[in-house]
Amino acid sequence: MKFSLILILTLYLSAAKANDLHLFKKYPELKKIPHLQILNGPTPLHPLLKLEEKLYSNAGRAPENRPRLWIKRDDMSWGPLGGNKARKLEFIMAKTLSKHSTTVVTSGMWGSNHCLATAAAARKLGLKSKLLLGPQPVTKNVKSKLLTFHALGARTKYYGSKITMGLGLAKHYLWSLFDRKLFYIPPGGTSKEGMLGYANAFLELFEQTGLTNLPSEIVVPVGTAGTSAGLLVGSCLAGVWEKTTIVGVGISHGILSNERLVRSKARELYRFIRKNLSKKNRKTLPKCDFEKSHKALVYLKRYSAPGYGAANQEVHQGMRLMRETEGLILDSTYSGKAFRYYLDKVQSILKTGDRPMPRLLFWLTYNSYDLNTVIEEHHWSNPQRKWLDLPSKFWKLFE
Ligand SMILES: Cc1ncc(COP(=O)(O)O)c(C=O)c1O
């Protein structure tokens, strides 16, 4: 009873807000794809004036000879647990509800932002969540995440290696094919529906900038590639293909995350959109070469060292600079590495003096909400040793 009430309320809300989506305004036929509103609204776009002041104080260049620095604040996508996942979850959770599933199952590393956002969204919608969690370097933030998953009511499953985690994932995926109550969400929320959130995000950005202020580069971290692929498709739909470059900074380069993945995810999303349009409207879709264009997409692997969940001195220096100038907190796994590239790019432009001066956009995908607020609100059996409420396999990560 309670669940149906939530469902009706949610679908009502989604119907009321669906018209506002840029993607739906551009292609009204896509409104048949389930969507519900999680975001607070368009995320702010603003210049990084204090960072510019700091970086250019000794540059000795006239203002017109400096690259302009901008930021898209997806950290503010959904208060308080936003970040890039909120945009993906608007479509994923709507699909879950449309299928009458009652539990979502997904996976990530022990400190996964995606698992955090999924658990929070599930709780908001009255759904259960199950998280399959695999190994990464254990930091204070990872421990806080593990406690937060539990405090948000998620069931957590420990995996000690990527191989056992992969097997667990496959098992749950197969299980979800037979059990309609269970909805499987791929790692990072990178499904066709999830990626739609970022195609829409590009259209949102384009409405904010127009053609005149469109950034020359948009810098974004790449994990499961849904965010970057979505933006790439968005740039195609907006009709500004190759007028801006999506710079995907690979945060763990290898067989699971690489340039080919971004390009193939973009193609997959484009085909999904095409399939949902009538024959007549398919003809109006811009044609874009996702496979080859190096003007529309640049993928960088050199910022992934020393590996997933670990960061070097330069990354930490960049994170400090952002905190001290703009008061923004980045994470060392994703946004910190992308920001390191961003700073290096500014320095290289200052050396070479590119003309015309580029407009560089940093897309902030991380939400730095203080998880202690959620952890402290929860009733723990032993407040001194909270982790004892987690499955026992996790205990060694705390002791
Ligand atoms: C903060 C942050 N930025 C970027 C990403 C990468 O996004 P994607 O997996 O869509 O490539 C993630 C993925 O978890 C993330 O948590």
Side-chain angles (χ1 to χ4, degrees), residues 82-85 88 111-115 145 187-190 195 198 220-230 249 251 257 261-262 308 331 333-336 338 363-367:
N84 65 336
K85 305 305 172 197
K88 295 180 176 184
S112 165
N113 296 318
H114 159 65
C115 287
K145 291 262 178 57
T190 293
M195 289 190 284
Y198 267 90
V220 69
V222 178
T224 57
T227 307
S228 42
V249 180
I251 57 93
S257 185
L261 181 73
V262 183
Y308 185 90
D331 69 308
T333 302
Y334 292 97
S335 53
W363 204 301
L364 179 49
T365 49
Y366 179 65
N367 172 272

mmCIF file of all heavy atoms in Angstrom, residues 82-85 88 111-115 145 187-190 195 198 220-230 249 251 257 261-262 308 331 333-336 338 363-367, ligand 1:
data_model
loop_
_atom_site.group_PDB
_atom_site.id
_atom_site.type_symbol
_atom_site.label_atom_id
_atom_site.label_comp_id
_atom_site.label_asym_id
_atom_site.label_seq_id
_atom_site.Cartn_x
_atom_site.Cartn_y
_atom_site.Cartn_z
ATOM 1 N N GLY A 82 24.434 14.594 -4.037
ATOM 2 C CA GLY A 82 24.405 14.720 -5.498
ATOM 3 C C GLY A 82 25.611 14.131 -6.198
ATOM 4 O O GLY A 82 26.036 13.031 -5.906
ATOM 5 N N GLY A 83 26.188 14.903 -7.137
ATOM 6 C CA GLY A 83 27.272 14.387 -7.959
ATOM 7 C C GLY A 83 26.709 13.926 -9.291
ATOM 8 O O GLY A 83 25.530 14.137 -9.582
ATOM 9 N N ASN A 84 27.563 13.275 -10.094
ATOM 10 C CA ASN A 84 27.105 12.934 -11.452
ATOM 11 C C ASN A 84 26.061 11.829 -11.475
ATOM 12 O O ASN A 84 25.330 11.675 -12.439
ATOM 13 C CB ASN A 84 28.299 12.596 -12.360
ATOM 14 C CG ASN A 84 29.056 11.359 -11.934
ATOM 15 O OD1 ASN A 84 29.020 10.983 -10.769
ATOM 16 N ND2 ASN A 84 29.749 10.730 -12.852
ATOM 17 N N LYS A 85 25.968 11.041 -10.416
ATOM 18 C CA LYS A 85 25.054 9.890 -10.473
ATOM 19 C C LYS A 85 23.585 10.290 -10.450
ATOM 20 O O LYS A 85 22.730 9.550 -10.925
ATOM 21 C CB LYS A 85 25.334 8.921 -9.314
ATOM 22 C CG LYS A 85 26.762 8.463 -9.243
ATOM 23 C CD LYS A 85 27.239 7.843 -10.545
ATOM 24 C CE LYS A 85 28.730 7.581 -10.515
ATOM 25 N NZ LYS A 85 29.313 7.372 -11.827
ATOM 26 N N LYS A 88 21.984 10.271 -13.842
ATOM 27 C CA LYS A 88 21.758 8.933 -14.397
ATOM 28 C C LYS A 88 20.572 8.271 -13.694
ATOM 29 O O LYS A 88 19.743 7.608 -14.314
ATOM 30 C CB LYS A 88 23.003 8.079 -14.177
ATOM 31 C CG LYS A 88 24.242 8.561 -14.927
ATOM 32 C CD LYS A 88 25.406 7.637 -14.619
ATOM 33 C CE LYS A 88 26.648 7.976 -15.402
ATOM 34 N NZ LYS A 88 27.738 7.031 -15.166
ATOM 35 N N GLY A 111 34.398 2.126 -1.857
ATOM 36 C CA GLY A 111 34.060 3.543 -1.609
ATOM 37 C C GLY A 111 33.251 4.151 -2.746
ATOM 38 O O GLY A 111 33.339 5.355 -2.983
ATOM 39 N N SER A 112 32.448 3.343 -3.419
ATOM 40 C CA SER A 112 31.773 3.791 -4.646
ATOM 41 C C SER A 112 30.778 4.942 -4.432
ATOM 42 O O SER A 112 29.840 4.841 -3.633
ATOM 43 C CB SER A 112 31.038 2.588 -5.247
ATOM 44 O OG SER A 112 30.104 3.006 -6.202
ATOM 45 N N ASN A 113 30.980 6.018 -5.219
ATOM 46 C CA ASN A 113 30.023 7.139 -5.197
ATOM 47 C C ASN A 113 28.700 6.717 -5.831
ATOM 48 O O ASN A 113 27.632 7.178 -5.443
ATOM 49 C CB ASN A 113 30.582 8.332 -5.987
ATOM 50 C CG ASN A 113 31.829 8.891 -5.347
ATOM 51 O OD1 ASN A 113 31.904 9.018 -4.128
ATOM 52 N ND2 ASN A 113 32.832 9.200 -6.161
ATOM 53 N N HIS A 114 28.823 5.855 -6.834
ATOM 54 C CA HIS A 114 27.605 5.378 -7.516
ATOM 55 C C HIS A 114 26.729 4.567 -6.546
ATOM 56 O O HIS A 114 25.513 4.726 -6.509
ATOM 57 C CB HIS A 114 28.013 4.532 -8.729
ATOM 58 C CG HIS A 114 26.944 3.610 -9.204
ATOM 59 N ND1 HIS A 114 25.756 4.077 -9.735
ATOM 60 C CD2 HIS A 114 26.856 2.259 -9.213
ATOM 61 C CE1 HIS A 114 24.998 3.039 -10.048
ATOM 62 N NE2 HIS A 114 25.634 1.933 -9.739
ATOM 63 N N CYS A 115 27.375 3.694 -5.761
ATOM 64 C CA CYS A 115 26.599 2.898 -4.800
ATOM 65 C C CYS A 115 25.952 3.804 -3.754
ATOM 66 O O CYS A 115 24.814 3.579 -3.337
ATOM 67 C CB CYS A 115 27.503 1.856 -4.132
ATOM 68 S SG CYS A 115 27.919 0.522 -5.275
ATOM 69 N N LYS A 145 32.096 5.727 3.699
ATOM 70 C CA LYS A 145 31.116 5.286 2.689
ATOM 71 C C LYS A 145 30.472 3.983 3.139
ATOM 72 O O LYS A 145 29.252 3.818 3.072
ATOM 73 C CB LYS A 145 31.796 5.067 1.339
ATOM 74 C CG LYS A 145 32.286 6.327 0.677
ATOM 75 C CD LYS A 145 31.302 6.809 -0.360
ATOM 76 C CE LYS A 145 31.756 8.094 -1.013
ATOM 77 N NZ LYS A 145 33.074 8.040 -1.643
ATOM 78 N N PRO A 187 27.484 -1.268 -13.217
ATOM 79 C CA PRO A 187 28.411 -0.419 -12.462
ATOM 80 C C PRO A 187 28.399 1.019 -12.993
ATOM 81 O O PRO A 187 28.306 1.233 -14.207
ATOM 82 C CB PRO A 187 29.783 -1.065 -12.713
ATOM 83 C CG PRO A 187 29.475 -2.488 -13.049
ATOM 84 C CD PRO A 187 28.129 -2.496 -13.705
ATOM 85 N N GLY A 188 28.457 1.963 -12.076
ATOM 86 C CA GLY A 188 28.503 3.371 -12.459
ATOM 87 C C GLY A 188 27.179 3.902 -13.007
ATOM 88 O O GLY A 188 27.096 5.049 -13.421
ATOM 89 N N GLY A 189 26.149 3.061 -13.045
ATOM 90 C CA GLY A 189 24.867 3.515 -13.604
ATOM 91 C C GLY A 189 24.971 3.761 -15.109
ATOM 92 O O GLY A 189 24.170 4.506 -15.690
ATOM 93 N N THR A 190 25.963 3.113 -15.734
ATOM 94 C CA THR A 190 26.160 3.335 -17.162
ATOM 95 C C THR A 190 25.336 2.350 -17.995
ATOM 96 O O THR A 190 25.860 1.404 -18.564
ATOM 97 C CB THR A 190 27.670 3.343 -17.500
ATOM 98 O OG1 THR A 190 28.213 4.511 -16.869
ATOM 99 C CG2 THR A 190 27.953 3.431 -18.988
ATOM 100 N N MET A 195 22.841 6.938 -19.266
ATOM 101 C CA MET A 195 23.622 7.879 -20.089
ATOM 102 C C MET A 195 22.775 9.005 -20.662
ATOM 103 O O MET A 195 23.277 10.092 -20.945
ATOM 104 C CB MET A 195 24.310 7.113 -21.233
ATOM 105 C CG MET A 195 25.439 6.228 -20.753
ATOM 106 S SD MET A 195 26.409 5.567 -22.132
ATOM 107 C CE MET A 195 25.349 4.296 -22.786
ATOM 108 N N TYR A 198 23.179 12.342 -19.160
ATOM 109 C CA TYR A 198 24.272 13.247 -19.536
ATOM 110 C C TYR A 198 24.124 13.817 -20.940
ATOM 111 O O TYR A 198 24.697 14.876 -21.243
ATOM 112 C CB TYR A 198 25.648 12.618 -19.263
ATOM 113 C CG TYR A 198 26.053 13.073 -17.874
ATOM 114 C CD1 TYR A 198 25.706 12.322 -16.757
ATOM 115 C CD2 TYR A 198 26.628 14.309 -17.677
ATOM 116 C CE1 TYR A 198 25.973 12.786 -15.480
ATOM 117 C CE2 TYR A 198 26.900 14.791 -16.410
ATOM 118 C CZ TYR A 198 26.578 14.035 -15.315
ATOM 119 O OH TYR A 198 26.825 14.520 -14.067
ATOM 120 N N VAL A 220 36.234 16.193 -18.005
ATOM 121 C CA VAL A 220 35.397 15.339 -17.162
ATOM 122 C C VAL A 220 36.126 14.015 -16.903
ATOM 123 O O VAL A 220 36.834 13.514 -17.772
ATOM 124 C CB VAL A 220 34.027 15.132 -17.873
ATOM 125 C CG1 VAL A 220 34.140 14.274 -19.121
ATOM 126 C CG2 VAL A 220 32.969 14.588 -16.964
ATOM 127 N N PRO A 221 36.017 13.456 -15.682
ATOM 128 C CA PRO A 221 36.681 12.165 -15.440
ATOM 129 C C PRO A 221 35.930 11.004 -16.106
ATOM 130 O O PRO A 221 34.714 11.072 -16.272
ATOM 131 C CB PRO A 221 36.629 11.992 -13.913
ATOM 132 C CG PRO A 221 35.783 13.084 -13.372
ATOM 133 C CD PRO A 221 35.339 13.977 -14.480
ATOM 134 N N VAL A 222 36.683 9.968 -16.470
ATOM 135 C CA VAL A 222 36.061 8.789 -17.091
ATOM 136 C C VAL A 222 36.272 7.564 -16.201
ATOM 137 O O VAL A 222 37.406 7.210 -15.869
ATOM 138 C CB VAL A 222 36.690 8.483 -18.468
ATOM 139 C CG1 VAL A 222 36.069 7.223 -19.078
ATOM 140 C CG2 VAL A 222 36.521 9.660 -19.413
ATOM 141 N N GLY A 223 35.164 6.944 -15.786
ATOM 142 C CA GLY A 223 35.224 5.673 -15.055
ATOM 143 C C GLY A 223 34.563 4.622 -15.930
ATOM 144 O O GLY A 223 35.200 4.007 -16.788
ATOM 145 N N THR A 224 33.248 4.455 -15.773
ATOM 146 C CA THR A 224 32.522 3.501 -16.623
ATOM 147 C C THR A 224 32.088 4.156 -17.948
ATOM 148 O O THR A 224 31.401 3.531 -18.746
ATOM 149 C CB THR A 224 31.279 2.965 -15.887
ATOM 150 O OG1 THR A 224 30.456 4.087 -15.506
ATOM 151 C CG2 THR A 224 31.663 2.191 -14.646
ATOM 152 N N ALA A 225 32.433 5.398 -18.136
ATOM 153 C CA ALA A 225 32.289 6.137 -19.405
ATOM 154 C C ALA A 225 30.888 6.677 -19.705
ATOM 155 O O ALA A 225 30.692 7.294 -20.755
ATOM 156 C CB ALA A 225 32.777 5.302 -20.594
ATOM 157 N N GLY A 226 29.935 6.490 -18.818
ATOM 158 C CA GLY A 226 28.580 6.966 -19.096
ATOM 159 C C GLY A 226 28.481 8.485 -19.144
ATOM 160 O O GLY A 226 27.755 9.039 -19.986
ATOM 161 N N THR A 227 29.225 9.152 -18.271
ATOM 162 C CA THR A 227 29.152 10.612 -18.201
ATOM 163 C C THR A 227 29.730 11.223 -19.474
ATOM 164 O O THR A 227 29.088 12.032 -20.146
ATOM 165 C CB THR A 227 29.917 11.105 -16.948
ATOM 166 O OG1 THR A 227 29.413 10.399 -15.821
ATOM 167 C CG2 THR A 227 29.770 12.588 -16.740
ATOM 168 N N SER A 228 30.947 10.798 -19.830
ATOM 169 C CA SER A 228 31.614 11.361 -21.014
ATOM 170 C C SER A 228 30.871 10.982 -22.294
ATOM 171 O O SER A 228 30.696 11.824 -23.188
ATOM 172 C CB SER A 228 33.069 10.899 -21.076
ATOM 173 O OG SER A 228 33.157 9.524 -20.747
ATOM 174 N N ALA A 229 30.404 9.726 -22.388
ATOM 175 C CA ALA A 229 29.686 9.294 -23.600
ATOM 176 C C ALA A 229 28.388 10.079 -23.734
ATOM 177 O O ALA A 229 28.009 10.503 -24.830
ATOM 178 C CB ALA A 229 29.409 7.797 -23.545
ATOM 179 N N GLY A 230 27.698 10.290 -22.620
ATOM 180 C CA GLY A 230 26.446 11.057 -22.647
ATOM 181 C C GLY A 230 26.696 12.484 -23.128
ATOM 182 O O GLY A 230 25.951 13.009 -23.958
ATOM 183 N N VAL A 249 39.177 12.327 -18.906
ATOM 184 C CA VAL A 249 40.411 11.976 -18.194
ATOM 185 C C VAL A 249 40.206 10.593 -17.563
ATOM 186 O O VAL A 249 39.424 10.443 -16.620
ATOM 187 C CB VAL A 249 40.736 13.042 -17.124
ATOM 188 C CG1 VAL A 249 42.023 12.690 -16.379
ATOM 189 C CG2 VAL A 249 40.848 14.417 -17.766
ATOM 190 N N ILE A 251 40.526 7.565 -15.322
ATOM 191 C CA ILE A 251 41.021 7.494 -13.949
ATOM 192 C C ILE A 251 41.548 6.095 -13.600
ATOM 193 O O ILE A 251 42.172 5.908 -12.566
ATOM 194 C CB ILE A 251 39.964 7.969 -12.920
ATOM 195 C CG1 ILE A 251 38.676 7.161 -13.043
ATOM 196 C CG2 ILE A 251 39.659 9.436 -13.076
ATOM 197 C CD1 ILE A 251 38.646 6.025 -12.156
ATOM 198 N N SER A 257 38.212 0.319 -18.772
ATOM 199 C CA SER A 257 37.971 1.742 -18.983
ATOM 200 C C SER A 257 39.006 2.285 -19.961
ATOM 201 O O SER A 257 40.199 2.280 -19.660
ATOM 202 C CB SER A 257 38.066 2.467 -17.630
ATOM 203 O OG SER A 257 37.719 3.813 -17.784
ATOM 204 N N LEU A 261 35.911 2.357 -25.072
ATOM 205 C CA LEU A 261 34.680 2.221 -24.285
ATOM 206 C C LEU A 261 33.828 3.492 -24.402
ATOM 207 O O LEU A 261 32.617 3.422 -24.618
ATOM 208 C CB LEU A 261 35.034 1.952 -22.805
ATOM 209 C CG LEU A 261 33.840 1.770 -21.892
ATOM 210 C CD1 LEU A 261 33.173 0.418 -22.124
ATOM 211 C CD2 LEU A 261 34.247 1.881 -20.415
ATOM 212 N N VAL A 262 34.467 4.656 -24.263
ATOM 213 C CA VAL A 262 33.704 5.915 -24.361
ATOM 214 C C VAL A 262 33.017 5.990 -25.723
ATOM 215 O O VAL A 262 31.818 6.285 -25.833
ATOM 216 C CB VAL A 262 34.610 7.161 -24.184
ATOM 217 C CG1 VAL A 262 33.770 8.438 -24.218
ATOM 218 C CG2 VAL A 262 35.409 7.091 -22.888
ATOM 219 N N TYR A 308 43.405 3.083 -9.625
ATOM 220 C CA TYR A 308 42.084 3.423 -9.066
ATOM 221 C C TYR A 308 42.171 3.647 -7.551
ATOM 222 O O TYR A 308 42.749 2.836 -6.829
ATOM 223 C CB TYR A 308 41.084 2.296 -9.360
ATOM 224 C CG TYR A 308 39.689 2.657 -8.924
ATOM 225 C CD1 TYR A 308 38.825 3.299 -9.799
ATOM 226 C CD2 TYR A 308 39.246 2.390 -7.633
ATOM 227 C CE1 TYR A 308 37.549 3.667 -9.399
ATOM 228 C CE2 TYR A 308 37.978 2.758 -7.224
ATOM 229 C CZ TYR A 308 37.138 3.401 -8.114
ATOM 230 O OH TYR A 308 35.882 3.766 -7.708
ATOM 231 N N ASP A 331 37.463 14.882 -5.027
ATOM 232 C CA ASP A 331 37.905 13.577 -4.519
ATOM 233 C C ASP A 331 39.155 13.157 -5.270
ATOM 234 O O ASP A 331 39.373 13.567 -6.418
ATOM 235 C CB ASP A 331 36.802 12.518 -4.687
ATOM 236 C CG ASP A 331 36.560 12.167 -6.145
ATOM 237 O OD1 ASP A 331 36.352 13.107 -6.947
ATOM 238 O OD2 ASP A 331 36.606 10.987 -6.494
ATOM 239 N N THR A 333 39.979 10.205 -6.275
ATOM 240 C CA THR A 333 39.813 9.113 -7.244
ATOM 241 C C THR A 333 39.411 9.637 -8.628
ATOM 242 O O THR A 333 39.978 9.212 -9.637
ATOM 243 C CB THR A 333 38.738 8.117 -6.742
ATOM 244 O OG1 THR A 333 39.150 7.641 -5.473
ATOM 245 C CG2 THR A 333 38.582 6.939 -7.698
ATOM 246 N N TYR A 334 38.455 10.557 -8.679
ATOM 247 C CA TYR A 334 37.933 10.999 -9.975
ATOM 248 C C TYR A 334 38.221 12.482 -10.257
ATOM 249 O O TYR A 334 39.057 12.807 -11.104
ATOM 250 C CB TYR A 334 36.410 10.789 -10.028
ATOM 251 C CG TYR A 334 35.981 9.345 -10.041
ATOM 252 C CD1 TYR A 334 35.587 8.701 -8.863
ATOM 253 C CD2 TYR A 334 35.951 8.615 -11.214
ATOM 254 C CE1 TYR A 334 35.194 7.378 -8.871
ATOM 255 C CE2 TYR A 334 35.552 7.298 -11.233
ATOM 256 C CZ TYR A 334 35.170 6.680 -10.066
ATOM 257 O OH TYR A 334 34.780 5.374 -10.078
ATOM 258 N N SER A 335 37.500 13.352 -9.549
ATOM 259 C CA SER A 335 37.545 14.767 -9.919
ATOM 260 C C SER A 335 38.941 15.367 -9.734
ATOM 261 O O SER A 335 39.341 16.260 -10.494
ATOM 262 C CB SER A 335 36.510 15.555 -9.105
ATOM 263 O OG SER A 335 36.663 15.316 -7.732
ATOM 264 N N GLY A 336 39.700 14.871 -8.741
ATOM 265 C CA GLY A 336 41.046 15.400 -8.491
ATOM 266 C C GLY A 336 41.963 15.144 -9.680
ATOM 267 O O GLY A 336 42.773 16.002 -10.069
ATOM 268 N N ALA A 338 41.001 14.647 -12.879
ATOM 269 C CA ALA A 338 40.548 15.468 -14.016
ATOM 270 C C ALA A 338 40.998 16.922 -13.814
ATOM 271 O O ALA A 338 41.410 17.593 -14.761
ATOM 272 C CB ALA A 338 39.029 15.392 -14.146
ATOM 273 N N TRP A 363 33.966 20.083 -15.408
ATOM 274 C CA TRP A 363 32.655 19.561 -15.005
ATOM 275 C C TRP A 363 32.847 18.838 -13.671
ATOM 276 O O TRP A 363 33.450 17.770 -13.640
ATOM 277 C CB TRP A 363 32.108 18.613 -16.074
ATOM 278 C CG TRP A 363 30.612 18.511 -16.009
ATOM 279 C CD1 TRP A 363 29.871 18.091 -14.945
ATOM 280 C CD2 TRP A 363 29.673 18.860 -17.032
ATOM 281 N NE1 TRP A 363 28.529 18.164 -15.242
ATOM 282 C CE2 TRP A 363 28.374 18.621 -16.520
ATOM 283 C CE3 TRP A 363 29.787 19.353 -18.340
ATOM 284 C CZ2 TRP A 363 27.219 18.847 -17.262
ATOM 285 C CZ3 TRP A 363 28.633 19.580 -19.068
ATOM 286 C CH2 TRP A 363 27.369 19.328 -18.527
ATOM 287 N N LEU A 364 32.358 19.454 -12.597
ATOM 288 C CA LEU A 364 32.564 18.866 -11.264
ATOM 289 C C LEU A 364 31.527 17.768 -11.012
ATOM 290 O O LEU A 364 30.334 18.035 -10.883
ATOM 291 C CB LEU A 364 32.497 19.957 -10.184
ATOM 292 C CG LEU A 364 32.682 19.496 -8.738
ATOM 293 C CD1 LEU A 364 33.904 18.597 -8.563
ATOM 294 C CD2 LEU A 364 32.793 20.685 -7.796
ATOM 295 N N THR A 365 32.020 16.536 -10.943
ATOM 296 C CA THR A 365 31.119 15.374 -10.850
ATOM 297 C C THR A 365 31.008 14.830 -9.428
ATOM 298 O O THR A 365 30.266 13.882 -9.184
ATOM 299 C CB THR A 365 31.654 14.247 -11.752
ATOM 300 O OG1 THR A 365 33.048 14.072 -11.458
ATOM 301 C CG2 THR A 365 31.479 14.571 -13.222
ATOM 302 N N TYR A 366 31.766 15.428 -8.508
ATOM 303 C CA TYR A 366 31.830 14.863 -7.155
ATOM 304 C C TYR A 366 31.027 15.696 -6.168
ATOM 305 O O TYR A 366 31.071 16.926 -6.190
ATOM 306 C CB TYR A 366 33.295 14.822 -6.706
ATOM 307 C CG TYR A 366 33.483 14.268 -5.307
ATOM 308 C CD1 TYR A 366 33.177 12.945 -5.015
ATOM 309 C CD2 TYR A 366 33.983 15.081 -4.287
ATOM 310 C CE1 TYR A 366 33.351 12.438 -3.743
ATOM 311 C CE2 TYR A 366 34.163 14.570 -3.007
ATOM 312 C CZ TYR A 366 33.842 13.257 -2.742
ATOM 313 O OH TYR A 366 34.015 12.754 -1.480
ATOM 314 N N ASN A 367 30.332 15.004 -5.279
ATOM 315 C CA ASN A 367 29.622 15.700 -4.217
ATOM 316 C C ASN A 367 30.340 15.433 -2.902
ATOM 317 O O ASN A 367 30.559 14.281 -2.527
ATOM 318 C CB ASN A 367 28.181 15.180 -4.144
ATOM 319 C CG ASN A 367 27.455 15.725 -2.949
ATOM 320 O OD1 ASN A 367 27.503 15.150 -1.879
ATOM 321 N ND2 ASN A 367 26.794 16.843 -3.118
HETATM 322 C C1 LIG B 1 32.895 11.661 -8.708
HETATM 323 C C2 LIG B 1 32.858 10.863 -9.960
HETATM 324 N N1 LIG B 1 33.226 11.443 -11.106
HETATM 325 C C3 LIG B 1 33.230 10.757 -12.272
HETATM 326 C C4 LIG B 1 32.863 9.438 -12.313
HETATM 327 C C5 LIG B 1 32.940 8.714 -13.618
HETATM 328 O O1 LIG B 1 31.713 8.662 -14.247
HETATM 329 P P1 LIG B 1 31.438 7.512 -15.294
HETATM 330 O O2 LIG B 1 31.457 6.211 -14.546
HETATM 331 O O3 LIG B 1 30.121 7.844 -15.851
HETATM 332 O O4 LIG B 1 32.539 7.570 -16.308
HETATM 333 C C6 LIG B 1 32.447 8.784 -11.134
HETATM 334 C C7 LIG B 1 32.038 7.371 -11.165
HETATM 335 O O5 LIG B 1 31.740 6.754 -10.181
HETATM 336 C C8 LIG B 1 32.446 9.532 -9.933
HETATM 337 O O6 LIG B 1 32.073 8.962 -8.765
#
